[in-house]
């Protein structure tokens, strides 16, 4: 991050998304068309001289191959350029994570319908690319992106073969060994059926959590590819029926003539298997001890306010037996005997583990459907909601945003297994998440976080949100920690007639102004001195929780944002360049929240923060001066 370039070509660089042995990928912004992009960059100076021309040649092939493809399941390429030692490829920025992440963190063995949906999207992309004369030649989970909405995007055509190109000669070994076909190992020319073979390997891996051919080195893998027949998926995964066995194994036939001859044929075979049935009988599935999440949570919700004051509970594998009440009810008038915690995740094992961990202490509900969970929040007082981010039908950030509107008292926690920057920013700015819990979690940490959230929610009074009147002038100030004069002009223009707007060029000035005025909102540029500013925000929120902070930064990093929420409860984040409309939207939200706290100070307890991981780094004397900051109503 320290060597992050400011610009490449006409594109502003905002963050580093990833780096490999040959290329680095940055998140970028095109100021002309105002679009967020990804730029894949190769630095020629870092390449071995003997390999330089080959690598750059393949990079240009990727530009040519992907640039001619326009399909909803293929990462779009927009531009290619060279600047000094840098060669770069400008492409669509996909907010999501690769399929490898799901193979590591999720178990699809009981969800073959979801696997088939993934495969049909991959095959749709390949059917299109093959029709355009482009063979990918390196289909594998790392090159398959899953967006936040659950769509598939194939990336990295760096080793693609274009029918009109002679850049890759017969005899080259191109691909990733575990996904390579026999003809690739033999150095023969790859065609569409080569991609079908690799897609079948991915299919097998998703269904079984095993690769069909594994070994300690490439030679062992190659030997098995040539000589062994994979074990049928239904034998490796006893949850499966045998409907997919012939489909998967045909896709991996050793002779290309015996495979599906097109992605279209492969898709038809999958659809036929779906019509037959992908899972064994319900009894057989139950014998596997795979948890099943109650599919009809609403029935339990509608029957929640029992006569004795006990809320009906749903545990994994059960549904409340009390009769449903129709029409839909308002929130229960009788509170449950224990605080209510709702966990939402589309993965059964996660819900089972969380239910077991908390069921003795709280009334625990679980749901694998975020829309049903939202209906529950509308009808029952839920004290704490813990939601996964990536779920079919509704993202976690969308659920948190909806819950914030219908139940402001519900403390919202995001459960995340990856650091998707856009999702993190959205959950803060839109869902106002209180904490992040990372998968895999530490049991003691998650128990402590949920306990703190429950304590806040149960003590929080019911008050309507304060709304900004139209005209009056307010005494409290908006403080801008803005060494580069980036946001202060907009703040003065938008708020100068109604509020006292002050600019601080450094932390010393900021603390002086905090001592002199009642500050409602502080807009802080994080880039001047990230560690010192972070320490200031942490100490402010710890001792003066009513002050709302908005962080502005050039280089957003998901882990940094998570730390700033957990340790400093930052109210909003804004990336540079700062838009005036976005700034006004977030400052308005912060002012409204400040006056809500001012009317009911007990609400500010929701701003409780965790101890900073490292000791505060404020310069000598500044920490002592913080104790004299003006509080509510001080003049």
């Amino acid at each position: 991050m320290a060597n992050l370039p400011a610009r490449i070509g006409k594109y502003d660089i905002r963050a580093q998304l990833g780096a490999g042995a040959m290329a680095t990928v940055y998140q970028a912004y095109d100021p002309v068309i105002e679009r967020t992009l990804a730029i894949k960059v190769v630095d020629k100076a870092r390449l071995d001289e003997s390999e330089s021309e080959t690598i750059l040649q393949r990079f240009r092939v990727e530009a040519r191959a992907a640039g001619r493809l326009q399909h909803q399941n293929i990462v779009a390429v927009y531009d290619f350029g060279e600047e000094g030692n840098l060669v770069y490829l400008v492409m669509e920025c996909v907010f999501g994570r690769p399929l490898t992440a799901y193979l590591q963190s999720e178990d699809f063995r009981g969800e073959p319908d979801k696997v088939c949906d993934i495969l049909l999207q991959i095959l749709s992309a390949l059917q299109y690319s093959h029709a355009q004369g482009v063979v990918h030649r390196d289909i594998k989970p790392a090159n398959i992106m899953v967006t936040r909405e659950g769509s598939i995007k194939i990336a990295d055509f760096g080793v693609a073969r274009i029918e009109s190109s002679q850049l890759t000669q017969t005899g080259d070994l191109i691909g990733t060994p575990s996904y390579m076909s026999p003809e690739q190992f033999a150095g023969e020319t790859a065609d569409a059926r080569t991609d079908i073979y690799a897609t079948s390997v991915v299919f097998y891996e998703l269904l079984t959590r095993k690769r069909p051919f594994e070994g300690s080195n490439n030679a062992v893998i190659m030997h098995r590819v040539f000589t062994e027949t994979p074990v049928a998926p239904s034998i490796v995964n006893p949850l499966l029926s045998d409907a997919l066995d012939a489909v998967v194994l045909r896709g991996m036939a050793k002779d290309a003539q015996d495979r599906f001859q097109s992605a279209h044929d492969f898709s038809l075979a999958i659809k036929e298997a779906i019509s037959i049935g992908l899972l064994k009988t319900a009894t057989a599935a139950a014998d596997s001890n795979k948890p099943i999440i109650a599919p009809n949570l609403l029935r339990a919700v509608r029957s929640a306010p029992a006569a004795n004051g006990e809320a009906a509970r749903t545990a994994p594998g059960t549904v409340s037996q009390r009769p449903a009440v129709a029409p839909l009810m308002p929130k229960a008038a009788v509170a449950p005997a224990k605080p209510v915690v709702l966990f939402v995740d589309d993965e059964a094992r996660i819900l089972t583990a969380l239910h077991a961990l908390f069921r003795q202490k709280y009334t625990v509900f679980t749901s694998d459907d975020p829309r049903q969970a939202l209906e529950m929040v509308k009808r029952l007082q839920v004290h704490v909601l813990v939601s996964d981010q990536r779920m079919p039908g509704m993202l976690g950030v969308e659920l948190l945003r909806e819950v914030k509107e219908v139940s402001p008292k519900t403390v919202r926690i995001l459960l995340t297994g990856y650091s998707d920057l856009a999702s993190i920013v959205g959950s803060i700015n839109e869902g106002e998440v209180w904490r992040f819990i990372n998968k895999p979690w530490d049991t003691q940490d998650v128990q402590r976080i949920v306990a703190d959230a429950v304590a806040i929610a149960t003590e929080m009074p019911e008050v309507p949100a304060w709304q900004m009147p139209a005209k009056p002038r307010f005494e409290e100030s908006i403080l801008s920690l803005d060494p580069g004069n980036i946001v202060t002009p907009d703040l003065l223009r938008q708020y100068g007639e109604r509020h006292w707007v002050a600019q601080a060029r450094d932390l010393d000035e900021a603390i002086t102004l905090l001592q002199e005025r009642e500050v409602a909102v502080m807009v802080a540029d994080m880039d001047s001195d990230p560690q010192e500013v972070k320490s200031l925000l942490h100490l402010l929120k710890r001792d003066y929780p009513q002050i709302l902070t908005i962080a502005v930064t050039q280089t957003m990093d998901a882990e940094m944002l998570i730390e700033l929420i957990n340790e400093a409860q930052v109210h909003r984040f804004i990336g540079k360049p700062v838009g005036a409309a976005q700034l006004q939207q977030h400052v308005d939200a912060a002012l409204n929240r400040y006056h809500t706290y001012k009317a009911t100070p007990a609400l500010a307890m929701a701003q409780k923060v965790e101890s900073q991981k490292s000791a505060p780094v404020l310069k000598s004397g500044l920490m002592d001066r913080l104790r004299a900051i003006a509080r509510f109503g001080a003049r």
Side-chain angles (χ1 to χ4, degrees), residues 180-183 185 197 212-214 218-231 252-255:
M180 285 170 60
S181 64
E183 63 267 24
F185 277 116
Y197 180 95
F213 303 111
E214 295 186 292
N218 293 348
V220 173
I221 295 173
M222 181 173 68
H223 176 76
R224 289 176 175 169
V225 167
F226 278 115
T227 62
E228 296 181 6
T229 300
V231 178
M252 286 189 290
K254 304 198 182 298
D255 189 333

Side-chain angles (χ1 to χ4, degrees), residues 473-477 498-500 517-518 635:
R473 176 181 175 85
F474 296 102
E475 293 300 323
E476 72 276 0
S477 68
R498 297 173 58 196
H499 294 269
W500 190 80
R517 306 288 301 194
E518 177 188 351
R635 296 288 183 267

Side-chain angles (χ1 to χ4, degrees), residues 463-467 591-601 603-604:
V463 293
W466 190 91
Q467 292 297 317
L591 287 169
N592 280 332
R593 182 61 53 84
Y594 176 81
H595 280 275
T596 301
Y597 293 157
K598 193 167 183 177
T600 311
L603 291 177

Side-chain angles (χ1 to χ4, degrees), residues 170 346 350 501 518:
T170 299
D346 63 340
I350 297 276
V501 177
E518 177 188 351

Side-chain angles (χ1 to χ4, degrees), residues 36-159:
T36 298
L37 303 161
I39 295 187
K40 185 176 183 180
V41 181
V42 171
D43 186 347
K44 291 186 282 189
R46 294 173 50 196
L47 301 179
D48 186 279
E49 189 173 342
S50 62
E51 298 179 345
S52 175
E53 186 53 37
T54 300
I55 292 170
L56 293 175
Q57 202 172 42
R58 286 181 183 163
F59 200 55
R60 295 182 184 106
V61 168
E62 179 174 4
R64 290 178 57 200
R68 67 197 284 181
L69 303 176
Q70 300 295 323
H71 188 274
Q72 68 268 21
N73 297 123
I74 296 175
V75 175
V77 169
Y78 304 122
D79 193 8
F80 176 83
E82 297 190 34
E83 183 178 84
N85 280 330
L86 301 182
V87 183
Y88 60 89
L89 190 66
V90 182
M91 52 195 172
E92 173 186 6
C93 188
V94 178
F95 295 105
R97 55 178 179 162
L99 195 55
T100 45
Y102 292 95
L103 283 165
Q104 292 166 3
S105 64
E106 300 191 23
D107 190 344
F108 292 107
R109 286 178 293 183
E111 300 176 294
D113 54 335
K114 186 181 292 186
V115 174
C116 287
D117 177 64
I118 293 171
L119 262 290
L120 290 172
Q121 292 185 65
I122 295 171
L123 291 169
S124 175
L126 292 177
Q127 181 181 342
Y128 171 81
S129 71
H130 295 162
Q132 304 302 310
V134 179
V135 180
H136 190 286
R137 297 201 303 169
D138 197 19
I139 294 294
K140 59 184 178 182
N143 288 337
I144 299 168
M145 296 295 296
V146 184
T147 71
R148 293 179 301 181
E149 295 76 25
S151 298
I152 296 298
K153 296 270 190 179
I154 296 180
D156 201 349
F157 280 78
V159 296

